[in-house]
Amino acid sequence: MATHTEQLTTVEEAPAVRLVGLTRSFDGRTVLDGIDLDLPAGQFTALLGHSGSGKSTLLRAIAGLDHRVTGSGRLAAPERVSVVFQDSRLLPWRRVLDNVLLGTDGKEAAERGRAALAEVGLAGRERAWPNELSGGEAQRAALARSLVREPELLLADEPFGALDALTRIRMHVLLRELWQRHRPSVLLVTHDVDEAIVLADRVLVLDRGRIGLDLTIERPPPRSYRDPLPGGPSLFERSRELGGEYRERLLTALGVTAHQEHAEHQEDHQ
Amino acid sequence: MTTTATTPVVSTPAAQARPLPRTRRRTLAPGKRLPASRLIGPGLVLVLWAAASAAGQLDPAAIPAPWTVLRTAGHLWSDGTLSTDVLTSLERAGYGFALGLTAGVVLALAAGLSRVGEALIDGTVQLNRAIPTLGLIPLFILWLGIGETFKIAIIAIVVYIPIYLNLHAALSGIDHRFVELAEVQGLSRVRFVRQIVIPGALPGFFVGLRLGVTGSWLSLVVLEQINATSGLGYLMFQAQNYGRTDIILVGLLIYGVFGLVSDSAVRIVERRVLSWRRTLSN
Ligand SMILES: Nc1ncnc2c1ncn2[C@@H]1O[C@H](COP(=O)(O)OP(=O)(O)OP(=O)(O)O)[C@@H](O)[C@H]1O
Ligand SMILES: [Mg+2]
């Protein structure tokens, strides 16, 4: 215990999140089975796993949202944590700007809220009601709400799951840009292998309650990400090329064989 | 390959000249609201009534003509009796409603926002609700005397129950996703209640409020017809003894106008407060 604390202070960059033997179970069924994990500050991590593998459970534990859940283990997370949910979760009775400002204080808060909305491309929509926004716009407003608190850790649980493919690509570019500008640690839960490779520097696969695969994604220096125009296809294309090998390894870790995937593609094209 | 590809291109002008099929779906929403549409129905009834009276199809002793009713109302008004009765009735309904509204809101807040409050209040109110309020009249007369107090108390009870039930259900039925959001955003308990629980419960509150308004008039009619020495119901009760259907109709019309006006007032407030809602009604 003592050595542990020492480590945290002496290591040059202390991890933003540290999980030690994290266990969670529901009705006697163990979902997380002693997870040890460090998320370095400023890292963009993606978490993959089958449906029901416990991704949301892990994320909720880190967010401190798992009240009345049995479990053990130690968990250290930063103070300023933002969460982006699969649904935008905007309060329908507050205008967009007031939604973004939920839980913030002070005079400059409104200014920061406007700036955050402008950053996600929603300048001028401050006075709109949430049900006047499209799905993609609502999710961007939710991103603005998470940014305005200047989080040290951004947790996102399938934030683009409900969006169409085109909007999703644009959101990928936006999220990556926002991350580069603000540098929070990010933990992104997704079930989309390609999304994980495009966005993250490190991909974890959750399998039977443990981290089954911990994959670091090597990338060209960030500079080349800015070279293509925002929203241009090259970011996506390049990452796809690079990702071919990672993709294979991740799919194998998820238990999808090349044969199965091939069959699925054939079905898609019929 | 090239020829097959070009053929459709050549034929496009012809295809464009053809009328496009109608693709817009028929809307399932009822469509735009007619101006003053709520008055159309009552207006139609009035026209039919007048027409039937003019044609001599109605027995004037059973259903007097609209103009007879109006004339009677004019007489009663210049007498001074009608205005006193109307004021008395309004006062009763007003006090009873205000009391019921306050009690309903306070109790629902207490029960909806704290577990202790819920344990103390909810069961009691549910029990109260199971007893038909008008059945309490004899007991209340013995307790409070036959004056104004017991009438106001009965109206208040009729009003507070629907307000309590709907507001409490709305407060405790708050979407757990919003609770989670409030936790994530680090809202304090007070802010959570003020910014999420209460605004989220307002639609339910207005459902209860409208039921309460209707309830206040309903109980007023019953109370004034059973035992009163003034008020609209008393006026109608007396008229019954003298066979004056015109006076009874005057009373009924005034009750109707009260009901319509108060319900409209609640609707207007509701539409302003819940302007964020885009429902079928607008
Ligand atoms: N509150 C709860 N009560 C009981 N069981 C739960 C609860 N939350 C999660 N579980 C169970 O824990 C397991 C993991 O759930 P979790 O939501 O973490 O999966 P997931 O990986 O996020 O899946 P998905 O990709 O479908 O969102 C599931 O089997 C689920 O049924
Ligand atoms: Mg999940």
Side-chain angles (χ1 to χ4, degrees), chain A residues 130-202:
Chain A
N131 60 14
E132 293 167 354
L133 299 182
S134 74
E137 287 170 336
Q139 205 55 319
R140 278 188 275 154
L143 258 180
R145 179 181 60 201
S146 69
L147 282 178
V148 90
R149 303 153 51 75
E150 289 168 357
E152 295 160 83
L153 173 65
L154 180 65
L155 301 168
D157 194 349
E158 300 190 24
F160 313 131
L163 303 179
D164 63 278
L166 281 177
T167 312
R168 199 185 289 195
I169 292 171
R170 298 180 61 173
M171 293 293 283
H172 289 166
V173 176
L174 176 66
L175 180 60
R176 187 80 195 176
E177 277 179 2
L178 292 172
W179 171 72
Q180 277 170 356
R181 212 171 304 146
H182 300 274
R183 284 286 162 171
S185 317
V186 178
L187 182 62
L188 171 82
V189 167
T190 174
H191 54 246
D192 183 341
V193 175
D194 294 316
E195 181 169 283
I197 298 170
V198 169
L199 285 173
D201 301 315
R202 179 185 182 195

Side-chain angles (χ1 to χ4, degrees), chain A residues 60 67 87 89 102 105, chain B residues 177 180 183 185 191 195:
Chain A
R60 295 167 59 81
H67 319 294
D87 60 312
R89 220 163 280 202
L102 186 72
D105 266 318
Chain B
R177 297 174 317 132
E180 225 171 63
E183 290 175 11
Q185 298 293 114
R191 278 194 174 186
Q195 302 184 346

Side-chain angles (χ1 to χ4, degrees), chain A residues 172-173 176 193-200 217-220 224-225 228 232-247:
Chain A
H172 289 166
V173 176
R176 187 80 195 176
V193 175
D194 294 316
E195 181 169 283
I197 298 170
V198 169
L199 285 173
I217 309 278
E218 301 293 339
R219 292 185 180 285
S224 63
Y225 270 91
S234 37
L235 171 71
F236 189 65
E237 290 298 335
R238 279 184 69 106
S239 311
R240 265 205 117 125
E241 281 167 36
L242 277 161
E245 178 207 325
Y246 298 133
R247 193 162 192 275

Side-chain angles (χ1 to χ4, degrees), chain B residues 187-203:
Chain B
L187 261 62
S188 65
R189 170 110 190 124
V190 173
R191 278 194 174 186
F192 168 60
V193 169
R194 270 211 356 241
Q195 302 184 346
I196 295 187
V197 178
I198 290 181
L202 277 179

Side-chain angles (χ1 to χ4, degrees), chain B residues 63-150:
Chain B
I63 307 179
W67 39 90
T68 319
V69 174
L70 273 184
R71 205 178 309 126
T72 311
H75 283 315
L76 289 172
W77 187 266
S78 46
D79 273 2
T81 44
L82 190 58
S83 53
T84 340
D85 284 326
V86 166
L87 279 181
T88 316
S89 292
L90 272 180
E91 206 176 299
R92 281 175 192 147
Y95 278 129
F97 179 75
L99 212 64
L101 175 64
T102 314
V105 169
V106 168
L107 290 174
L109 285 176
L113 301 179
S114 94
R115 290 285 172 223
V116 179
E118 182 161 39
L120 290 175
I121 294 167
D122 197 51
T124 321
V125 177
Q126 300 291 346
L127 188 74
N128 186 177
R129 173 196 166 197
I131 303 168
T133 308
L134 298 179
L136 293 175
I137 290 177
L139 196 60
F140 271 54
I141 291 178
L142 289 181
W143 284 350
L144 301 171
I146 199 154
E148 292 301 287
T149 326
F150 106 87

Side-chain angles (χ1 to χ4, degrees), chain B residues 134-181:
Chain B
L134 298 179
L136 293 175
I137 290 177
L139 196 60
F140 271 54
I141 291 178
L142 289 181
W143 284 350
L144 301 171
I146 199 154
E148 292 301 287
T149 326
F150 106 87
K151 294 190 190 71
I152 291 169
I154 293 282
I155 295 173
I157 291 178
V158 171
V159 169
Y160 104 96
I161 288 178
I163 290 178
Y164 171 88
L165 290 177
N166 284 282
L167 183 55
H168 179 246
L171 287 170
S172 40
I174 175 94
D175 193 336
H176 80 275
R177 297 174 317 132
F178 290 148
V179 180
E180 225 171 63
L181 175 70

